[in-house]
Amino acid sequence: MAKRSYPLAKVYSLLEPGPVLLLATAGKTRPNVMALSWHMPMEFEPPLVGCVLGNRDYSFDLLKAARECTLNIPTVDLADQVVAVGNCSGRDTDKFQSCGLTAKPAKLVGAPLVAECYASLECRVADTRLVNRYGLFILEVVQAWVDGAVKAPRTLHHRGWGVFMVAGETVRLASGMR
Amino acid sequence: MAKRSYPLAKVYSLLEPGPVLLLATAGKTRPNVMALSWHMPMEFEPPLVGCVLGNRDYSFDLLKAARECTLNIPTVDLADQVVAVGNCSGRDTDKFQSCGLTAKPAKLVGAPLVAECYASLECRVADTRLVNRYGLFILEVVQAWVDGAVKAPRTLHHRGWGVFMVAGETVRLASGMR
């Protein structure tokens, strides 16, 4: 898959539909990855993204310490890998290896990209004020990569307890909203 | 449409897939409504929801003052109404009337429910610490209503500039994640 650099001003449009993400961190001894659905755009440019992580998640500590991560967007062909990532912990498992995913070096951050995802965002933690209270990390996206061949990604959208909605048809309406 | 009271512990599952919402406020002289895609669950129970509003939006001032709103989830059959809501301002328009939507009294908050939506959440503002910096309102959902007949809602998911993804098929996978 050939991912190319993607305009930062358009990053919000990748996240706004609400896909399940894979959040990757460098880890202390090996890279780690978790599934994440609690996220939203918070600013167009520079692109800011709010993410809520549980404070018992292994990635919570890793992200708090390293202050860098990547957000990667899987499509439905990676559903088994996404579920596998959600069902184990990086505390005792090399999740990239056990879940069949490939960690690829990023350009600007120490956290790896997930090679199999059609889009990857390199992020630095921009604001930690509400981390302790809500687990809310505000990230700035500093570099984005997208496979330009994917126009209508069949992303996964979590409804809870293993039920996912898969992105359906695209409609174009006369909206003036960015 | 018969909406019934819905368990607060399951509210996150309505929002986690990332649908476009209609956020309604009581307004000073008449109720108002806006389209909103920048939202995410922040806690299971009591359910908290993070929402980012632009500080030039009329609803920003109304929500900041009243500290109550409703979040309503439209399906694709309401696409024209959603686009109409996004294309005008409540400063000079009675948006419920001009966009063909019905404001219905809520149970616990002063803001109205949008009758045509399959789900409606009554919310109070729980945290305003990051409102000035990011437009981030943290809401607590105090009452939820869902039309139980809608099992796989064909929600709208905004990709920007009038392009929407419509919720597609449902898949069930062996995930242990809530």
Side-chain angles (χ1 to χ4, degrees):
Chain A
M1 172 183 313
K3 281 187 269 194
R4 293 187 194 168
S5 188
Y6 188 76
L8 291 178
K10 291 168 69 181
V11 161
Y12 79 96
S13 67
L14 302 172
L15 300 175
E16 195 164 310
V20 173
L21 303 180
L22 295 178
L23 183 154
T25 40
K28 291 171 211 161
T29 56
R30 59 183 178 226
N32 193 41
V33 57
M34 71 174 286
L36 175 80
S37 284
W38 290 11
H39 64 82
M40 66 178 170
M42 293 185 65
E43 184 54 271
F44 290 109
E45 200 174 4
L48 298 179
V49 182
C51 294
V52 172
L53 277 69
N55 62 10
R56 287 170 301 183
D57 287 327
Y58 186 50
S59 295
F60 181 94
D61 296 329
L62 296 178
L63 181 57
K64 204 170 163 187
R67 298 181 68 99
E68 290 180 346
C69 68
T70 66
L71 300 175
N72 306 271
I73 313 181
T75 41
V76 66
D77 50 298
L78 295 172
D80 289 343
Q81 289 91 324
V82 170
V83 167
V85 163
N87 283 348
C88 63
S89 168
R91 249 181 264 278
D92 47 32
T93 311
D94 180 337
K95 291 172 83 171
F96 271 95
Q97 189 169 54
S98 70
C99 302
L101 295 170
T102 311
K104 210 180 112 180
K107 182 177 163 191
L108 299 179
V109 302
L113 310 176
V114 180
E116 289 80 4
C117 290
Y118 91 95
S120 292
L121 311 175
E122 302 186 16
C123 303
R124 295 204 178 101
V125 174
D127 193 319
T128 58
R129 270 180 281 182
L130 297 187
V131 166
N132 290 339
R133 177 70 184 82
Y134 300 107
L136 172 66
F137 292 87
I138 300 178
L139 309 175
E140 179 180 341
V141 181
V142 292
Q143 170 70 43
W145 306 98
V146 175
D147 178 353
V150 180
K151 297 298 184 196
R154 297 195 67 215
T155 43
L156 293 161
H157 300 254
H158 193 226
R159 294 201 196 282
W161 299 117
V163 180
F164 293 83
M165 175 272 279
V166 182
E169 61 179 309
T170 299
V171 295
R172 284 163 204 281
L173 303 167
S175 166
M177 293 195 74
R178 179 174 181 185
Chain B
M1 171 182 314
K3 281 187 269 195
R4 293 188 192 166
S5 188
Y6 188 76
L8 291 178
K10 290 169 70 182
V11 160
Y12 79 95
S13 68
L14 303 172
L15 300 175
E16 195 165 308
V20 174
L21 303 179
L22 295 178
L23 183 154
T25 39
K28 292 171 209 161
T29 55
R30 60 182 178 227
N32 192 42
V33 57
M34 72 174 284
L36 175 80
S37 285
W38 290 12
H39 63 80
M40 64 177 172
M42 292 186 66
E43 185 54 270
F44 290 109
E45 200 174 4
L48 298 180
V49 182
C51 294
V52 172
L53 278 69
N55 61 11
R56 287 170 301 182
D57 287 328
Y58 186 50
S59 295
F60 181 95
D61 296 330
L62 296 178
L63 182 56
K64 205 171 163 183
R67 298 180 68 99
E68 291 182 346
C69 68
T70 66
L71 300 176
N72 306 272
I73 314 182
T75 41
V76 65
D77 50 297
L78 294 171
D80 289 344
Q81 289 90 326
V82 170
V83 167
V85 163
N87 284 346
C88 64
S89 169
R91 250 181 262 279
D92 47 31
T93 312
D94 180 338
K95 290 173 84 170
F96 272 94
Q97 188 169 54
S98 70
C99 301
L101 294 169
T102 311
K104 210 180 111 181
K107 181 177 165 193
L108 298 179
V109 301
L113 309 176
V114 180
E116 289 80 3
C117 290
Y118 90 95
S120 292
L121 312 175
E122 303 186 15
C123 304
R124 295 203 179 102
V125 175
D127 193 320
T128 58
R129 271 180 280 182
L130 297 187
V131 165
N132 290 339
R133 177 70 184 84
Y134 300 106
L136 172 66
F137 292 87
I138 299 177
L139 310 174
E140 179 180 342
V141 181
V142 294
Q143 170 70 43
W145 305 99
V146 175
D147 178 353
V150 179
K151 296 299 184 195
R154 297 195 67 215
T155 43
L156 292 162
H157 301 254
H158 192 226
R159 294 199 196 283
W161 298 118
V163 180
F164 294 83
M165 176 272 281
V166 182
E169 60 177 312
T170 299
V171 294
R172 284 164 204 279
L173 303 168
S175 167
M177 294 194 74
R178 181 173 179 184

